[in-house]
Structure formats: C-alpha cells, structure tokens
Amino acid sequence: MNVLIVGSGGREHALTWKLSQSPLVDRIFIAPGNGGTATIGENVPVKDDDVRGLVEFARKNGVGLVVAGPELPLTLGLSNALSDAGIPCFGPTEYCARLEGSKAFAKEVMLESGVPTAHFAVFRDYAKARDFVEEKGAPIVLKADGLAAGKGVAVCRTKEQALFELEQTMAHKRFGAAGETVVVEEMLAGEEVSFLAFCDGENYALMPTCQDHKAVGEGDSGPNTGGMGAFSPAHILPESEWPEMGEKVIAPVLRHMRAKGHPFVGVLYAGLIMTPEGPMVLEYNVRFGDPECQPLMMRLDSDLAEIMLACCRGDLGGLSIRWKPETAICVVLSAEGYPGPCTTGMALSGFAQAEQDPAVKVFQAGTKPAPGGSVSSGGRVLGVTALGRGLTEARSHAYAAVDKVRFEKSYCRRDIGEKGLKWEPRGN
Ligand code: AMP
Ligand code: GLY
C-alpha cells in the first residue's frame, strides 16, 4: 500500500518514521514534508491546504491511505473529498473537524453531550460581548471562534485587558473572520494534560497521556508557542483513571457525532486541565498534537498503518494496541527568536552522533533538504526524542543528545519534563 502523509512538521516526521516500519506500507509520500521526511519517503510539492491537489496526487499514485497531520486540510474537507474519490483518509470529515475549527461549535457539543468544561457564552455582537465582560469582570478567557494560528486565546487577568483584547478581535478584526464570533469563558486553573484517542466512528482506543510545554520560557514563562517539548506518560492523570476519563471526554463526543450522522474517524485529542474540581476539557483537536506525537510514536509498539486502516474501516474494536512501558520525552530545539521572527537557513548536523544512543531519535520539524543534510526553515526546527525507564532517565538521554546536535543560534528549554517529576511513581 502507498501512503500519503499531509503536513511538514515534527509530527509528520514521527508519523513517517513509524509508518515506514509497517510491512503493509510500500511507498510513503509526504506533502510537502521536510528535511526529515525526505530521508525516509518522497516529499511532493503539494501544500497542505490544496485539497484538490492532494486528492489528485493520491489518485494518480495509487495511494491506499491518506494521513492528515494538521487540522487545516481537515477543516477544508480533505476527508470528504477523499471519500468521494474512494480513498481512505485517517482524519475526520469537515463537519467533525469543526470541533477544532470552531470553538463555539466545540463548546456547544460539550454542553450537549455533558462533557465537563468551563462555563461559557458565545457572542457575534461586539456590544453584547463587551457588556458581558463588563459584568463578569476578570479573570476571564476570550477565544476567537475560528483557527487563528494558535493565537486566538487570551487569558485575561484584568477587565481592562479583556476589554482591550475583545476590541482588537471583534472591532479591529485582528484575526479576520476567525474572530467574528468569540467565546467568552471562565478561567480555570491547573496543569494541562493531552488526552488522545484513536477513533473509528464508534469505538476508540486511548493513547497514553502526554504533557506539552506551551510557553517558550523555562518555568512556563513568556509567550505561548506551538509546544517546546512533551513527555508521555503523564502520571498527573494516573493510568487507573484513563478508562473513566475516556468515558467522560471521548465517548460522549463520538456518540454525539454519530447521532448527527457524522461518525468521527481519526485522532480525537482532548486538552484537559486538572482543576481542583476535577479534569475539564479546554479544547478538542482533531489530530495528533505536535510535539506530543513524537513521544507517542516512540512508545507505540504496534503497527500504525494497521491501526489507521482499522479506524477507517470502523473495526478498531478488534485490535489490541501495545505501548512500550518506557517514558518518552521530546525536547524541541527552535531557532533563536521563536515564536517571533527567526533566522532560517542554519546548518544542522550531529544527528548521527545523537542517535548513537539507541534510545534517541532526532525528529525534524522546520527543516528542508539541502546538499549533505538539512537546513533550518522554520521556528521549531528539531524534536530530540528519547526513551528511558522513567522520566529522569528519558530526560538524561534526551538532553545528552541535544548537546550532540550542532545548530547555531538554537534555543531549547532545559526544564522539559521537570513538572512531571513530582508525579513519578517511586523508583523512577
Ligand atoms: P485552547 O486553544 O483552547 O487550548 O487554548 C490555548 C491555551 O489557553 C490552553 O492550552 C490554556 O493554556 C489556555 N486556556 C484556554 N482556555 C482556558 C481557560 N478556560 N482557563 C484557563 N486557561 C485557558
Ligand atoms: N501541542 C499542542 C497541539 O498540538 O495543539
């Protein structure tokens, strides 16, 4: 079977790496891919938002499975278009992708299906939203309804800040059409956990928990990024509680979508926050997290192609999915300046030295192929990922490998995984 993976980040390199290990997979195409995917499969110059181009490529190249990395093509109807062409797509339809593409839609689904989430109100009218914020005061959270490149959420500590953010979004249209509707919700406090499941429309299989590190600076300081590192498992949500959590935050959404005539196929990712009143859902994503995917792929001990095909066929129930018992951690190396403007075109080397440790894999993200290797081409450049018997061991493998990679003017947080140490079972 030929596979087409859509996307160009560290997540897609990890998916390419894992799918290439499957005996079911012949050729792997990645659209558009990066320097890492090019070392395993064939990069093809089709952009991730070019739905028509992706379908045409898949049809012409005998692709038997398309795997959507990012949400954008899914919100644009990639899965529907592939279904019309008779090609299986691991990733949900346009309707289901609104769980990520529209925060108001996601909140309404959560409310209707009884998923624990922050109290909220939805506004399309600026004056009404302003009155509501005036009345509620701070702290308060504002969310642009649509996709806003990860910048659409403002956690406001003061009423003045909230009113300013609201004006920017609704009156000055800072996020364009994505901010025409705004969700205003109560602020919740607690650590965040990424809770992902493979879904076949009816059944689901939970993945081990992960924790991401969204802030650019150590101690979770500074502006938010796409994610500076992640580890799995995250014991803050103990394994014994995963099945119950699946029934609370995954199953109701699958039932809801099925009842609406739109079964959800792909990865459903619940972003949880561990509040004193119990875990609540902050958001849903309709794809693997990046960088959460990198540690998850290191731990997956089953055939990913088989799992994805089972999801597409609706028979996930018959599969048992194995995960390595080890902990995996991914440390992101970004270009200096990220998440602001940063220099690109920097030479990268030392991967082979880093990977001399069999516990280590260097996944590439914002890179492109260049003579003799890869050069940087984006903000998040590499995801140095390692396994270990616990978080402490995994961290020491990962950081030793980070120090072997040569990438001038790079930046990484040195405290990835530190917040997980307090939850580690004794002996790790
Ligand atoms: P979202 O895109 O909805 O996940 O929001 C991005 C980030 O904003 C989350 O990962 C949280 O750190 C923060 N956030 C979102 N909603 C809330 C909330 N209700 N209370 C506190 N923080 C929030
Ligand atoms: N790492 C967070 C996300 O992929 O949304």
Side-chain angles (χ1 to χ4, degrees):
M1 176 179 68
N2 294 343
V3 176
L4 171 64
I5 298 172
V6 180
S8 59
R11 167 182 51 207
E12 287 74 24
H13 187 190
L15 292 172
T16 307
W17 174 75
K18 192 67 201 169
L19 282 167
S20 72
Q21 295 164 16
S22 168
L24 300 172
V25 173
D26 300 317
R27 293 172 78 180
I28 306 186
F29 304 105
I30 311 93
N34 61 28
T37 62
T39 65
I40 306 173
E42 302 162 53
N43 286 358
V44 295
V46 184
K47 292 215 176 93
D48 67 356
D49 62 354
D50 179 4
V51 169
R52 201 190 293 208
L54 292 167
V55 175
E56 206 168 284
F57 181 87
R59 210 193 324 236
K60 284 194 182 141
N61 291 277
V63 166
L65 174 68
V66 175
V67 178
E71 66 282 6
L72 183 61
L74 297 167
T75 62
L76 297 175
L78 176 65
S79 185
N80 307 63
L82 286 164
S83 161
D84 291 345
I87 301 168
C89 176
F90 181 78
T93 57
E94 187 175 355
Y95 181 93
C96 293
R98 292 180 70 204
L99 279 172
E100 179 162 0
S102 164
K103 302 238 181 238
F105 177 83
K107 292 298 286 194
E108 271 142 30
V109 169
M110 287 189 246
L111 188 67
E112 281 176 37
S113 54
V115 169
T117 190
H119 294 298
F120 71 102
V122 177
F123 294 96
R124 289 176 182 84
D125 182 274
Y126 173 46
K128 285 192 181 136
R130 211 175 38 201
D131 290 348
F132 185 81
V133 170
E134 283 282 5
E135 184 199 321
K136 289 282 173 192
I140 199 159
V141 179
L142 308 180
K143 299 184 173 185
D145 178 56
L147 294 178
K151 297 190 165 59
V153 175
V155 179
C156 304
R157 305 281 162 180
T158 65
K159 186 155 84 178
E160 291 64 39
Q161 186 195 355
L163 290 169
F164 173 77
E165 298 284 348
L166 195 63
E167 184 183 19
Q168 292 298 312
T169 302
M170 293 193 94
H172 301 322
K173 310 225 178 297
R174 166 173 54 177
F175 304 120
E180 277 169 12
T181 297
V182 167
V183 174
V184 182
E185 69 177 34
E186 68 175 317
M187 195 193 88
L188 301 174
E191 278 193 50
E192 291 177 44
V193 179
S194 306
F195 192 63
L196 284 73
F198 291 108
C199 304
D200 75 355
E202 184 175 4
N203 309 292
Y204 64 95
L206 296 176
M207 298 183 218
T209 48
C210 305
Q211 267 188 297
D212 186 11
H213 299 65
K214 286 208 170 93
V216 72
E218 283 165 18
D220 289 334
S221 59
N224 266 359
T225 69
M228 295 302 297
F231 62 88
S232 171
H235 294 289
I236 184 174
L237 184 64
E239 191 165 345
S240 59
E241 294 176 22
W242 298 354
E244 191 191 327
M245 196 52 54
E247 286 304 296
K248 273 194 186 148
V249 306
I250 304 291
V253 174
L254 295 192
R255 276 197 298 272
H256 181 96
M257 291 298 174
R258 249 165 77 79
K260 296 280 178 194
H262 298 282
F264 187 103
V265 172
V267 171
L268 183 59
Y269 163 152
L272 304 178
I273 184 159
M274 309 298 284
T275 78
E277 285 78 45
M280 301 219 184
V281 175
L282 284 181
E283 62 160 351
Y284 283 108
N285 296 317
V286 298
R287 50 166 177 82
F288 284 103
D290 188 342
E292 290 95 323
C293 187
Q294 290 84 314
L296 285 171
M297 289 307 109
M298 287 287 272
R299 294 191 60 208
L300 183 61
D301 207 12
S302 294
D303 182 335
L304 180 61
E306 192 184 3
I307 298 169
M308 289 176 162
L309 286 172
C311 289
C312 295
R313 281 197 299 259
D315 61 5
L316 190 57
L319 270 191
S320 103
I321 300 175
R322 291 180 314 278
W323 298 91
K324 293 189 178 140
E326 287 100 325
T327 294
I329 188 164
C330 171
V331 177
V332 170
L333 269 69
S334 70
E336 195 180 58
Y338 177 75
C342 37
T343 327
T344 56
M346 304 302 284
L348 306 166
S349 62
F351 302 169
Q353 288 87 330
E355 289 179 353
Q356 263 168 8
D357 177 348
V360 169
K361 179 76 202 153
V362 179
F363 292 117
Q364 301 186 35
T367 73
K368 62 179 186 188
S374 294
V375 295
S376 72
S377 63
R380 290 191 294 173
V381 176
L382 301 171
V384 177
T385 310
L387 286 167
R389 272 171 301 182
L391 199 41
T392 304
E393 195 180 290
R395 291 184 80 218
S396 70
H397 284 286
Y399 280 110
V402 163
D403 293 333
K404 290 189 181 133
V405 167
R406 285 191 294 279
F407 166 17
E408 248 183 78
K409 296 202 170 157
S410 69
Y411 166 78
C412 74
R413 276 178 63 164
R414 289 275 159 186
D415 66 344
I416 300 300
E418 224 168 77
K419 65 183 167 193
L421 292 174
K422 59 185 175 295
W423 304 103
E424 283 283 281
R426 272 171 194 280
N428 280 343

